[in-house]
Amino acid sequence: MKKFSLMLLAAVLISSCGQKKEQQAKAPTRVKTQVVSPGLVDNAQTYVGIVEEREATAVSFTGMGVVKRMLVNEGQAVSRGQLIAEMDDTQARNVLSGAEAQMTQANDALERYKMLHDNGSLPEVQWVEIQSKVAQAKSQLDVAKKTLADCRLTAPVSGIIGKKLVGAGETALPSQAVVNILDISTVKVKVAVPEAEIGGINANTPTSIKVEAVDGSYQGGRIEKGVEADALTHTYDIRINVVNNGRKLLPGMVASVRFVSEGSQAIGSKMIPVTSVQKNADGSLFVWKVDQQKTAHRTPVTIGQTEGNYVLVIDGLNMGDRVVTEGYQKLSEGTKVVY
């Protein structure tokens, strides 16, 4: 009986090990990938650019006080009119209460003296003075209401919270920025262009922009060209407008910008990293293509000329296909991957 129990225990352990090995075998392989994107062939100048927000708005309180609550976080989307922060309003409420009392007193006095004025027993000078006090009380009441309302800070525009510059419990000063709201529905890519090359760029020069941080390629829009050169580098800043669908592009991201000069072939050539191309034993070339189910497939390709770290794909891939650039050593046909 004891021998049978040991044999049963060994069988269970072997089965458990087999299941673990099977689970490990099914675990997806981690790789790096890149999407086949359009490239520019011949005569295309490449520069490094930095993504900038379309517009930045500094939001601040109009008065001084202690911040009671901060209701937003960095990176949060906000709408125009949304409450951002609140200041301690104890003093503002006390001032308002005093102003309301003065307004009530002035109105009471106005009603009493009006009867005397209507009967002709009140000098006109004194009647004007009473009316002036009522106006002054109303003005003070309006100021007190405005001061209380200013203890609530709302977003003047819609956008993304860039930085929180003041936190709860800190004292905010008049016109001191509490948060920055960034408009990134459209972004600008800033590029420094040498003075010898700035003449070949105009507002409508076609551009292709790649941002590795989001693994994306974008078509540049209208160009804003600066007219003052940097005194040290003799370069001119230009900014390329780019539609930021999905708000994937964030300020500070590095971009590779290609300007197409006259005679360049901006034909939407399919470009992939050189590192993604592998060679079979017979000399034919292939890449590991990842389908929508995140499965790797060996795909034959025909390539053309090389441009820096990229190579032109003549046949075998379509625009938008995803290929493996790193980690392909562990792949075989049908391997599940994660990237």
Side-chain angles (χ1 to χ4, degrees):
M1 184 68 178
K2 184 176 181 181
K3 183 177 181 180
F4 176 76
S5 299
L6 290 174
M7 292 176 63
L8 180 62
L9 178 61
V12 171
L13 290 175
I14 292 173
S15 176
S16 176
C17 291
Q19 290 178 355
K20 288 183 178 180
K21 288 182 179 179
E22 185 177 355
Q23 291 175 353
Q24 290 176 355
K26 292 182 179 180
T29 302
R30 180 166 294 278
V31 296
K32 288 188 178 180
T33 66
Q34 189 163 327
V35 174
V36 179
S37 57
L40 302 174
V41 183
D42 300 333
N43 301 334
Q45 298 295 328
T46 304
Y47 303 87
V48 176
I50 299 294
V51 177
E52 295 181 342
E53 66 277 1
R54 177 177 177 270
E55 189 174 359
T57 302
V59 185
S60 60
F61 288 104
T62 57
M64 184 177 71
V66 177
V67 177
K68 182 169 64 175
R69 290 197 303 164
M70 286 295 299
L71 303 175
V72 295
N73 296 311
E74 293 183 0
Q76 179 180 340
V78 295
S79 303
R80 182 177 181 181
Q82 181 175 334
L83 184 62
I84 293 176
E86 288 184 321
M87 186 184 290
D88 186 357
D89 59 1
T90 303
Q91 183 176 354
R93 289 187 180 279
N94 292 336
V95 172
L96 178 61
S97 297
E100 289 174 339
Q102 290 182 357
M103 186 75 249
T104 300
Q105 184 179 4
N107 284 331
D108 289 342
L110 180 67
E111 291 180 4
R112 292 195 304 269
Y113 282 103
K114 186 176 185 301
M115 297 177 60
L116 297 176
H117 177 265
D118 292 343
N119 294 332
S121 56
L122 183 69
E124 190 66 26
V125 174
Q126 193 171 357
W127 174 242
V128 172
E129 182 180 351
I130 294 299
Q131 288 181 315
S132 297
K133 289 183 178 180
V134 172
Q136 290 175 1
K138 184 178 184 305
S139 177
Q140 292 176 357
L141 179 60
D142 291 340
V143 171
K145 289 180 178 179
K146 178 67 165 56
T147 301
L148 179 60
D150 287 344
C151 291
R152 292 168 54 88
L153 185 63
T154 58
V157 295
S158 299
I160 302 293
I161 299 296
K163 288 186 178 181
K164 288 171 55 177
L165 304 173
V166 177
E170 297 181 357
T171 300
L173 301 176
S175 300
Q176 175 191 10
V178 175
V179 296
N180 288 329
I181 299 179
L182 308 179
D183 180 0
I184 59 172
S185 56
T186 298
V187 296
K188 297 180 180 182
V189 178
K190 177 184 173 183
V191 181
V193 179
E195 60 181 12
E197 301 170 11
I198 192 68
I201 298 173
N202 57 54
N204 299 312
T205 298
T207 57
S208 176
I209 300 168
K210 294 181 181 179
V211 182
E212 296 292 342
V214 295
D215 194 20
S217 298
Y218 300 84
Q219 194 69 31
R222 187 171 180 81
I223 295 175
E224 302 171 9
K225 187 163 67 171
V227 295
E228 292 188 9
D230 185 279
L232 296 177
T233 61
H234 297 284
T235 58
Y236 290 83
D237 286 340
I238 69 165
R239 289 173 170 83
I240 308 163
N241 289 277
V242 180
V243 177
N244 190 15
N245 294 327
R247 295 179 176 176
K248 293 182 179 180
L249 297 179
L250 301 177
M253 287 184 174
V254 178
S256 175
V257 180
R258 297 174 68 85
F259 293 92
V260 186
S261 58
E262 186 176 354
S264 296
Q265 301 173 21
I267 56 176
S269 306
K270 294 172 288 188
M271 307 296 291
I272 59 175
V274 174
T275 56
S276 64
V277 181
Q278 307 300 313
K279 182 180 290 188
N280 289 309
D282 60 1
S284 60
L285 303 178
F286 71 94
V287 298
W288 288 105
K289 185 173 75 171
V290 180
D291 61 20
Q292 294 182 350
Q293 287 72 41
K294 295 187 177 180
T295 303
H297 299 285
R298 184 189 296 261
T299 305
V301 293
T302 303
I303 64 173
Q305 68 187 78
T306 301
E307 297 181 55
N309 296 325
Y310 287 81
V311 63
L312 174 66
V313 178
I314 298 175
D315 189 31
L317 293 174
N318 295 317
M319 206 72 73
D321 286 345
R322 184 177 293 276
V323 297
V324 177
T325 58
E326 293 184 27
Y328 46 77
Q329 297 89 345
K330 304 176 183 178
L331 299 181
S332 59
E333 180 63 29
T335 301
K336 291 290 185 180
V337 300
V338 61
Y339 50 84

